[in-house]
Amino acid sequence: MLFMDIITWDPKDTEEVLSRFEKWEYPQGIEVVSEWDDLSTCRHIVVYDAKNSEAYLAATFPWRDICYFDSFPVMESNACMKCLADIWSQMPV
């Protein structure tokens, strides 16, 4: 399932975050779609496919001491509209 994480950290921890990220490799079971850095603040955004909850934990747990994660399940808009149309068509009137 696709997720979007908005990862934030305290500005005082920027050097440590950058140092860790330089060496970071996503664990098995996480396939990154894309990543972005917010140029105005201490925030990193990543969209990825998590194969299972163990992969999600392996990707986030090592950062919990220094970063905050807001994770959201996401779906491309066209796929979402099709899914919703299918669900609505099966609902009793």
Side-chain angles (χ1 to χ4, degrees), residues 36-90:
W36 303 270
D37 291 307
D38 181 343
L39 299 176
S40 65
T41 190
C42 300
R43 187 164 47 184
H44 182 77
I45 298 100
V46 58
V47 175
Y48 58 94
D49 186 4
K51 298 303 180 190
N52 52 48
S53 55
E54 292 82 6
Y56 173 80
L57 285 173
T60 58
F61 195 80
W63 294 92
R64 289 177 22 163
D65 65 321
I66 198 167
C67 294
Y68 302 97
F69 286 78
D70 288 315
S71 298
F72 308 92
V74 294
M75 181 183 282
E76 290 182 359
S77 296
N78 289 339
C80 184
M81 291 299 116
K82 181 184 179 323
C83 183
L84 289 173
D86 291 346
I87 290 170
W88 287 330
S89 70
Q90 297 173 23

Short mmCIF file of all heavy atoms in Angstrom, two decimals, residues 36-90:
data_model
loop_
_atom_site.label_atom_id
_atom_site.label_comp_id
_atom_site.label_asym_id
_atom_site.label_seq_id
_atom_site.Cartn_x
_atom_site.Cartn_y
_atom_site.Cartn_z
N TRP A 36 10.94 14.44 -1.41
CA TRP A 36 11.11 15.88 -1.58
C TRP A 36 11.57 16.47 -0.26
O TRP A 36 11.23 15.98 0.81
CB TRP A 36 9.79 16.55 -1.96
CG TRP A 36 9.16 16.03 -3.20
CD1 TRP A 36 9.37 16.46 -4.48
CD2 TRP A 36 8.22 14.95 -3.29
NE1 TRP A 36 8.61 15.72 -5.35
CE2 TRP A 36 7.88 14.78 -4.65
CE3 TRP A 36 7.62 14.11 -2.36
CZ2 TRP A 36 6.99 13.83 -5.09
CZ3 TRP A 36 6.73 13.14 -2.81
CH2 TRP A 36 6.42 13.03 -4.15
N ASP A 37 12.32 17.55 -0.36
CA ASP A 37 12.71 18.32 0.81
C ASP A 37 12.03 19.67 0.77
O ASP A 37 12.00 20.33 -0.28
CB ASP A 37 14.23 18.52 0.85
CG ASP A 37 14.96 17.21 1.12
OD1 ASP A 37 14.62 16.55 2.11
OD2 ASP A 37 15.84 16.86 0.32
N ASP A 38 11.48 20.06 1.89
CA ASP A 38 10.89 21.39 2.04
C ASP A 38 12.04 22.35 2.27
O ASP A 38 12.77 22.25 3.26
CB ASP A 38 9.92 21.38 3.22
CG ASP A 38 9.24 22.71 3.44
OD1 ASP A 38 9.72 23.74 2.92
OD2 ASP A 38 8.22 22.73 4.15
N LEU A 39 12.24 23.27 1.36
CA LEU A 39 13.38 24.20 1.43
C LEU A 39 13.21 25.28 2.49
O LEU A 39 14.16 25.97 2.82
CB LEU A 39 13.60 24.84 0.06
CG LEU A 39 13.92 23.86 -1.07
CD1 LEU A 39 14.03 24.62 -2.39
CD2 LEU A 39 15.18 23.07 -0.77
N SER A 40 12.00 25.41 3.04
CA SER A 40 11.75 26.49 3.98
C SER A 40 11.77 26.06 5.44
O SER A 40 11.73 26.91 6.33
CB SER A 40 10.39 27.14 3.67
OG SER A 40 9.35 26.20 3.89
N THR A 41 11.84 24.76 5.70
CA THR A 41 11.80 24.29 7.09
C THR A 41 12.44 22.92 7.21
O THR A 41 12.96 22.38 6.24
CB THR A 41 10.35 24.29 7.61
OG1 THR A 41 10.36 24.05 9.01
CG2 THR A 41 9.51 23.25 6.90
N CYS A 42 12.40 22.35 8.37
CA CYS A 42 12.99 21.04 8.65
C CYS A 42 11.94 19.96 8.37
O CYS A 42 11.34 19.40 9.29
CB CYS A 42 13.46 20.98 10.09
SG CYS A 42 14.69 22.23 10.47
N ARG A 43 11.74 19.69 7.09
CA ARG A 43 10.69 18.75 6.71
C ARG A 43 11.11 18.00 5.44
O ARG A 43 11.65 18.58 4.51
CB ARG A 43 9.39 19.51 6.47
CG ARG A 43 8.21 18.65 6.24
CD ARG A 43 6.91 19.37 6.38
NE ARG A 43 6.88 20.65 5.69
CZ ARG A 43 5.85 21.49 5.76
NH1 ARG A 43 4.80 21.20 6.48
NH2 ARG A 43 5.89 22.63 5.11
N HIS A 44 10.84 16.70 5.45
CA HIS A 44 11.13 15.82 4.32
C HIS A 44 9.85 15.04 4.03
O HIS A 44 9.17 14.58 4.95
CB HIS A 44 12.27 14.86 4.71
CG HIS A 44 12.70 13.94 3.62
ND1 HIS A 44 13.50 14.35 2.57
CD2 HIS A 44 12.45 12.62 3.42
CE1 HIS A 44 13.73 13.32 1.78
NE2 HIS A 44 13.10 12.26 2.27
N ILE A 45 9.51 14.90 2.76
CA ILE A 45 8.30 14.19 2.36
C ILE A 45 8.72 13.01 1.50
O ILE A 45 9.55 13.15 0.60
CB ILE A 45 7.33 15.11 1.57
CG1 ILE A 45 6.87 16.29 2.46
CG2 ILE A 45 6.13 14.33 1.08
CD1 ILE A 45 7.58 17.55 2.21
N VAL A 46 8.13 11.85 1.79
CA VAL A 46 8.45 10.65 1.02
C VAL A 46 7.16 9.88 0.74
O VAL A 46 6.29 9.77 1.60
CB VAL A 46 9.49 9.75 1.74
CG1 VAL A 46 9.02 9.32 3.11
CG2 VAL A 46 9.86 8.55 0.91
N VAL A 47 7.01 9.43 -0.51
CA VAL A 47 5.91 8.54 -0.90
C VAL A 47 6.53 7.20 -1.21
O VAL A 47 7.52 7.11 -1.95
CB VAL A 47 5.14 9.09 -2.13
CG1 VAL A 47 4.08 8.10 -2.59
CG2 VAL A 47 4.51 10.43 -1.80
N TYR A 48 5.96 6.15 -0.62
CA TYR A 48 6.55 4.82 -0.76
C TYR A 48 5.48 3.73 -0.67
O TYR A 48 4.38 3.96 -0.18
CB TYR A 48 7.60 4.59 0.34
CG TYR A 48 7.04 4.71 1.74
CD1 TYR A 48 6.59 3.59 2.43
CD2 TYR A 48 6.94 5.95 2.36
CE1 TYR A 48 6.06 3.71 3.69
CE2 TYR A 48 6.42 6.08 3.62
CZ TYR A 48 5.98 4.96 4.30
OH TYR A 48 5.44 5.08 5.54
N ASP A 49 5.85 2.58 -1.17
CA ASP A 49 5.01 1.40 -1.07
C ASP A 49 5.57 0.54 0.05
O ASP A 49 6.72 0.11 -0.02
CB ASP A 49 5.03 0.63 -2.40
CG ASP A 49 4.07 -0.54 -2.43
OD1 ASP A 49 3.32 -0.74 -1.45
OD2 ASP A 49 4.07 -1.26 -3.43
N ALA A 50 4.79 0.34 1.09
CA ALA A 50 5.19 -0.53 2.21
C ALA A 50 4.55 -1.89 1.99
O ALA A 50 3.33 -2.01 1.91
CB ALA A 50 4.76 0.07 3.54
N LYS A 51 5.38 -2.91 1.88
CA LYS A 51 4.89 -4.26 1.61
C LYS A 51 4.19 -4.86 2.82
O LYS A 51 3.32 -5.71 2.68
CB LYS A 51 6.04 -5.18 1.18
CG LYS A 51 6.70 -4.73 -0.11
CD LYS A 51 5.69 -4.63 -1.24
CE LYS A 51 6.36 -4.17 -2.51
NZ LYS A 51 5.43 -3.83 -3.56
N ASN A 52 4.58 -4.43 4.04
CA ASN A 52 3.94 -4.96 5.25
C ASN A 52 4.30 -4.04 6.42
O ASN A 52 5.11 -3.13 6.29
CB ASN A 52 4.38 -6.41 5.52
CG ASN A 52 5.88 -6.58 5.53
OD1 ASN A 52 6.60 -5.81 6.16
ND2 ASN A 52 6.37 -7.56 4.79
N SER A 53 3.69 -4.31 7.56
CA SER A 53 3.91 -3.46 8.73
C SER A 53 5.33 -3.59 9.27
O SER A 53 5.88 -2.63 9.82
CB SER A 53 2.88 -3.76 9.83
OG SER A 53 2.89 -5.12 10.16
N GLU A 54 5.94 -4.75 9.11
CA GLU A 54 7.32 -4.92 9.55
C GLU A 54 8.27 -4.01 8.78
O GLU A 54 9.18 -3.41 9.37
CB GLU A 54 7.77 -6.38 9.41
CG GLU A 54 7.07 -7.35 10.34
CD GLU A 54 5.70 -7.81 9.86
OE1 GLU A 54 5.29 -7.48 8.73
OE2 GLU A 54 5.02 -8.51 10.66
N ALA A 55 8.05 -3.87 7.48
CA ALA A 55 8.87 -2.97 6.67
C ALA A 55 8.66 -1.53 7.10
O ALA A 55 9.62 -0.76 7.21
CB ALA A 55 8.53 -3.14 5.19
N TYR A 56 7.42 -1.16 7.38
CA TYR A 56 7.13 0.20 7.85
C TYR A 56 7.89 0.48 9.15
O TYR A 56 8.53 1.52 9.29
CB TYR A 56 5.62 0.39 8.05
CG TYR A 56 5.30 1.71 8.68
CD1 TYR A 56 5.26 2.87 7.92
CD2 TYR A 56 5.04 1.80 10.05
CE1 TYR A 56 4.98 4.10 8.51
CE2 TYR A 56 4.77 3.02 10.64
CZ TYR A 56 4.74 4.15 9.88
OH TYR A 56 4.47 5.36 10.46
N LEU A 57 7.81 -0.45 10.10
CA LEU A 57 8.50 -0.26 11.37
C LEU A 57 10.02 -0.17 11.18
O LEU A 57 10.68 0.66 11.81
CB LEU A 57 8.17 -1.38 12.34
CG LEU A 57 6.79 -1.32 12.98
CD1 LEU A 57 6.51 -2.57 13.78
CD2 LEU A 57 6.66 -0.08 13.85
N ALA A 58 10.57 -1.02 10.32
CA ALA A 58 12.00 -1.00 10.06
C ALA A 58 12.45 0.32 9.45
O ALA A 58 13.58 0.77 9.67
CB ALA A 58 12.40 -2.16 9.15
N ALA A 59 11.56 0.97 8.71
CA ALA A 59 11.91 2.24 8.06
C ALA A 59 11.77 3.44 9.00
O ALA A 59 12.49 4.43 8.86
CB ALA A 59 11.04 2.45 6.82
N THR A 60 10.85 3.36 9.95
CA THR A 60 10.59 4.52 10.81
C THR A 60 11.25 4.43 12.19
O THR A 60 11.66 5.44 12.74
CB THR A 60 9.08 4.74 11.00
OG1 THR A 60 8.50 3.56 11.57
CG2 THR A 60 8.42 5.08 9.67
N PHE A 61 11.34 3.23 12.74
CA PHE A 61 11.80 3.08 14.12
C PHE A 61 13.19 3.68 14.37
O PHE A 61 13.39 4.34 15.40
CB PHE A 61 11.76 1.61 14.55
CG PHE A 61 11.88 1.43 16.02
CD1 PHE A 61 10.79 1.62 16.85
CD2 PHE A 61 13.09 1.08 16.60
CE1 PHE A 61 10.89 1.47 18.23
CE2 PHE A 61 13.22 0.92 17.97
CZ PHE A 61 12.11 1.12 18.79
N PRO A 62 14.16 3.50 13.46
CA PRO A 62 15.50 4.05 13.73
C PRO A 62 15.54 5.58 13.82
O PRO A 62 16.52 6.14 14.29
CB PRO A 62 16.33 3.57 12.53
CG PRO A 62 15.60 2.40 11.99
CD PRO A 62 14.14 2.68 12.25
N TRP A 63 14.48 6.24 13.37
CA TRP A 63 14.45 7.70 13.35
C TRP A 63 13.61 8.30 14.47
O TRP A 63 13.58 9.52 14.65
CB TRP A 63 13.89 8.17 12.01
CG TRP A 63 14.76 7.84 10.86
CD1 TRP A 63 14.70 6.72 10.07
CD2 TRP A 63 15.84 8.61 10.35
NE1 TRP A 63 15.68 6.76 9.10
CE2 TRP A 63 16.39 7.92 9.26
CE3 TRP A 63 16.39 9.84 10.71
CZ2 TRP A 63 17.47 8.41 8.54
CZ3 TRP A 63 17.47 10.33 9.99
CH2 TRP A 63 17.99 9.62 8.92
N ARG A 64 12.91 7.48 15.22
CA ARG A 64 11.94 7.99 16.20
C ARG A 64 12.55 8.83 17.31
O ARG A 64 11.86 9.61 17.95
CB ARG A 64 11.13 6.84 16.80
CG ARG A 64 10.18 6.24 15.79
CD ARG A 64 9.41 5.08 16.30
NE ARG A 64 9.33 5.03 17.76
CZ ARG A 64 8.47 4.31 18.42
NH1 ARG A 64 7.62 3.55 17.78
NH2 ARG A 64 8.46 4.29 19.73
N ASP A 65 13.84 8.68 17.54
CA ASP A 65 14.48 9.47 18.60
C ASP A 65 14.75 10.91 18.18
O ASP A 65 15.00 11.76 19.03
CB ASP A 65 15.78 8.80 19.04
CG ASP A 65 16.83 8.77 17.94
OD1 ASP A 65 16.47 8.55 16.77
OD2 ASP A 65 18.02 8.95 18.26
N ILE A 66 14.65 11.18 16.88
CA ILE A 66 15.06 12.50 16.39
C ILE A 66 14.03 13.13 15.44
O ILE A 66 14.03 14.34 15.25
CB ILE A 66 16.45 12.40 15.70
CG1 ILE A 66 17.11 13.75 15.58
CG2 ILE A 66 16.36 11.67 14.38
CD1 ILE A 66 18.57 13.69 15.20
N CYS A 67 13.13 12.32 14.87
CA CYS A 67 12.16 12.82 13.89
C CYS A 67 10.73 12.47 14.31
O CYS A 67 10.50 11.52 15.05
CB CYS A 67 12.41 12.21 12.51
SG CYS A 67 13.97 12.71 11.77
N TYR A 68 9.80 13.25 13.77
CA TYR A 68 8.38 13.00 13.95
C TYR A 68 7.80 12.59 12.60
O TYR A 68 8.10 13.22 11.58
CB TYR A 68 7.67 14.25 14.46
CG TYR A 68 8.25 14.74 15.76
CD1 TYR A 68 9.20 15.76 15.76
CD2 TYR A 68 7.87 14.18 16.97
CE1 TYR A 68 9.75 16.21 16.94
CE2 TYR A 68 8.42 14.62 18.16
CZ TYR A 68 9.36 15.65 18.14
OH TYR A 68 9.92 16.09 19.30
N PHE A 69 6.98 11.54 12.59
CA PHE A 69 6.40 11.03 11.36
C PHE A 69 4.89 11.22 11.36
O PHE A 69 4.21 10.80 12.30
CB PHE A 69 6.68 9.52 11.22
CG PHE A 69 8.09 9.20 10.86
CD1 PHE A 69 9.10 9.23 11.81
CD2 PHE A 69 8.42 8.86 9.56
CE1 PHE A 69 10.41 8.94 11.48
CE2 PHE A 69 9.72 8.57 9.22
CZ PHE A 69 10.72 8.60 10.18
N ASP A 70 4.38 11.86 10.31
CA ASP A 70 2.95 11.88 10.03
C ASP A 70 2.78 11.02 8.79
O ASP A 70 3.26 11.39 7.71
CB ASP A 70 2.45 13.30 9.77
CG ASP A 70 2.41 14.14 11.03
OD1 ASP A 70 1.93 13.62 12.05
OD2 ASP A 70 2.86 15.30 10.99
N SER A 71 2.14 9.86 8.95
CA SER A 71 1.99 8.90 7.85
C SER A 71 0.54 8.84 7.41
O SER A 71 -0.37 8.78 8.24
CB SER A 71 2.44 7.50 8.31
OG SER A 71 3.79 7.52 8.67
N PHE A 72 0.36 8.83 6.09
CA PHE A 72 -0.97 8.80 5.51
C PHE A 72 -1.04 7.76 4.40
O PHE A 72 -0.15 7.73 3.54
CB PHE A 72 -1.32 10.16 4.86
CG PHE A 72 -1.11 11.33 5.75
CD1 PHE A 72 0.10 12.01 5.75
CD2 PHE A 72 -2.11 11.75 6.60
CE1 PHE A 72 0.31 13.10 6.56
CE2 PHE A 72 -1.90 12.84 7.43
CZ PHE A 72 -0.69 13.52 7.41
N PRO A 73 -2.08 6.92 4.37
CA PRO A 73 -2.26 6.08 3.20
C PRO A 73 -2.72 6.97 2.04
O PRO A 73 -3.54 7.88 2.23
CB PRO A 73 -3.36 5.10 3.62
CG PRO A 73 -4.09 5.78 4.72
CD PRO A 73 -3.12 6.72 5.38
N VAL A 74 -2.17 6.76 0.86
CA VAL A 74 -2.52 7.59 -0.30
C VAL A 74 -2.81 6.72 -1.51
O VAL A 74 -2.40 5.56 -1.58
CB VAL A 74 -1.42 8.61 -0.64
CG1 VAL A 74 -1.26 9.63 0.47
CG2 VAL A 74 -0.09 7.93 -0.92
N MET A 75 -3.52 7.32 -2.47
CA MET A 75 -3.85 6.65 -3.72
C MET A 75 -3.89 7.72 -4.80
O MET A 75 -4.32 8.85 -4.54
CB MET A 75 -5.22 5.98 -3.59
CG MET A 75 -5.70 5.22 -4.80
SD MET A 75 -7.37 4.53 -4.58
CE MET A 75 -7.01 3.11 -3.57
N GLU A 76 -3.42 7.38 -6.01
CA GLU A 76 -3.50 8.34 -7.10
C GLU A 76 -4.96 8.72 -7.33
O GLU A 76 -5.86 7.89 -7.20
CB GLU A 76 -2.89 7.75 -8.37
CG GLU A 76 -1.39 7.59 -8.27
CD GLU A 76 -0.77 7.06 -9.55
OE1 GLU A 76 -1.51 6.77 -10.51
OE2 GLU A 76 0.47 6.92 -9.56
N SER A 77 -5.20 9.98 -7.67
CA SER A 77 -6.56 10.50 -7.77
C SER A 77 -7.44 9.70 -8.73
O SER A 77 -8.60 9.40 -8.41
CB SER A 77 -6.53 11.97 -8.18
OG SER A 77 -5.90 12.72 -7.17
N ASN A 78 -6.93 9.38 -9.92
CA ASN A 78 -7.75 8.62 -10.88
C ASN A 78 -8.14 7.25 -10.32
O ASN A 78 -9.27 6.81 -10.46
CB ASN A 78 -7.02 8.44 -12.20
CG ASN A 78 -6.92 9.74 -12.98
OD1 ASN A 78 -7.68 10.67 -12.75
ND2 ASN A 78 -5.96 9.83 -13.88
N ALA A 79 -7.20 6.58 -9.68
CA ALA A 79 -7.49 5.27 -9.08
C ALA A 79 -8.49 5.42 -7.94
O ALA A 79 -9.38 4.58 -7.77
CB ALA A 79 -6.21 4.62 -8.59
N CYS A 80 -8.36 6.47 -7.17
CA CYS A 80 -9.29 6.73 -6.06
C CYS A 80 -10.71 6.96 -6.59
O CYS A 80 -11.68 6.40 -6.05
CB CYS A 80 -8.81 7.92 -5.24
SG CYS A 80 -9.82 8.26 -3.79
N MET A 81 -10.84 7.76 -7.63
CA MET A 81 -12.16 8.04 -8.20
C MET A 81 -12.81 6.76 -8.72
O MET A 81 -14.00 6.52 -8.53
CB MET A 81 -12.07 9.09 -9.31
CG MET A 81 -11.74 10.47 -8.81
SD MET A 81 -12.97 11.10 -7.67
CE MET A 81 -12.01 11.22 -6.18
N LYS A 82 -12.04 5.90 -9.37
CA LYS A 82 -12.56 4.63 -9.87
C LYS A 82 -12.99 3.74 -8.71
O LYS A 82 -14.07 3.15 -8.74
CB LYS A 82 -11.52 3.92 -10.73
CG LYS A 82 -12.03 2.60 -11.30
CD LYS A 82 -10.98 1.85 -12.05
CE LYS A 82 -11.44 0.54 -12.61
NZ LYS A 82 -12.37 -0.24 -11.84
N CYS A 83 -12.18 3.67 -7.70
CA CYS A 83 -12.49 2.85 -6.53
C CYS A 83 -13.77 3.35 -5.86
O CYS A 83 -14.66 2.56 -5.52
CB CYS A 83 -11.32 2.89 -5.55
SG CYS A 83 -11.54 1.87 -4.09
N LEU A 84 -13.87 4.66 -5.68
CA LEU A 84 -15.07 5.23 -5.06
C LEU A 84 -16.30 4.98 -5.92
O LEU A 84 -17.38 4.65 -5.39
CB LEU A 84 -14.88 6.73 -4.81
CG LEU A 84 -13.91 7.09 -3.70
CD1 LEU A 84 -13.68 8.60 -3.67
CD2 LEU A 84 -14.40 6.59 -2.36
N ALA A 85 -16.17 5.11 -7.23
CA ALA A 85 -17.31 4.85 -8.13
C ALA A 85 -17.76 3.40 -8.00
O ALA A 85 -18.96 3.13 -7.96
CB ALA A 85 -16.93 5.18 -9.58
N ASP A 86 -16.79 2.48 -7.92
CA ASP A 86 -17.14 1.06 -7.75
C ASP A 86 -17.85 0.83 -6.43
O ASP A 86 -18.84 0.10 -6.36
CB ASP A 86 -15.88 0.19 -7.82
CG ASP A 86 -15.26 0.16 -9.21
OD1 ASP A 86 -15.92 0.58 -10.19
OD2 ASP A 86 -14.09 -0.28 -9.30
N ILE A 87 -17.39 1.46 -5.37
CA ILE A 87 -18.00 1.28 -4.05
C ILE A 87 -19.41 1.89 -4.06
O ILE A 87 -20.36 1.27 -3.59
CB ILE A 87 -17.13 1.94 -2.95
CG1 ILE A 87 -15.85 1.14 -2.77
CG2 ILE A 87 -17.89 2.05 -1.63
CD1 ILE A 87 -14.80 1.81 -1.90
N TRP A 88 -19.54 3.10 -4.60
CA TRP A 88 -20.85 3.76 -4.63
C TRP A 88 -21.85 2.96 -5.46
O TRP A 88 -23.03 2.91 -5.12
CB TRP A 88 -20.74 5.18 -5.16
CG TRP A 88 -20.11 6.13 -4.19
CD1 TRP A 88 -20.15 6.08 -2.83
CD2 TRP A 88 -19.33 7.28 -4.51
NE1 TRP A 88 -19.44 7.10 -2.29
CE2 TRP A 88 -18.93 7.87 -3.28
CE3 TRP A 88 -18.93 7.86 -5.70
CZ2 TRP A 88 -18.15 9.03 -3.23
CZ3 TRP A 88 -18.16 9.01 -5.64
CH2 TRP A 88 -17.78 9.59 -4.42
N SER A 89 -21.39 2.35 -6.54
CA SER A 89 -22.33 1.60 -7.39
C SER A 89 -22.86 0.36 -6.68
O SER A 89 -23.90 -0.18 -7.06
CB SER A 89 -21.66 1.21 -8.70
OG SER A 89 -20.67 0.23 -8.49
N GLN A 90 -22.17 -0.11 -5.67
CA GLN A 90 -22.61 -1.30 -4.95
C GLN A 90 -23.42 -0.98 -3.69
O GLN A 90 -23.95 -1.89 -3.04
CB GLN A 90 -21.38 -2.14 -4.56
CG GLN A 90 -20.62 -2.65 -5.74
CD GLN A 90 -19.33 -3.33 -5.33
OE1 GLN A 90 -19.17 -3.79 -4.22
NE2 GLN A 90 -18.37 -3.40 -6.27
#
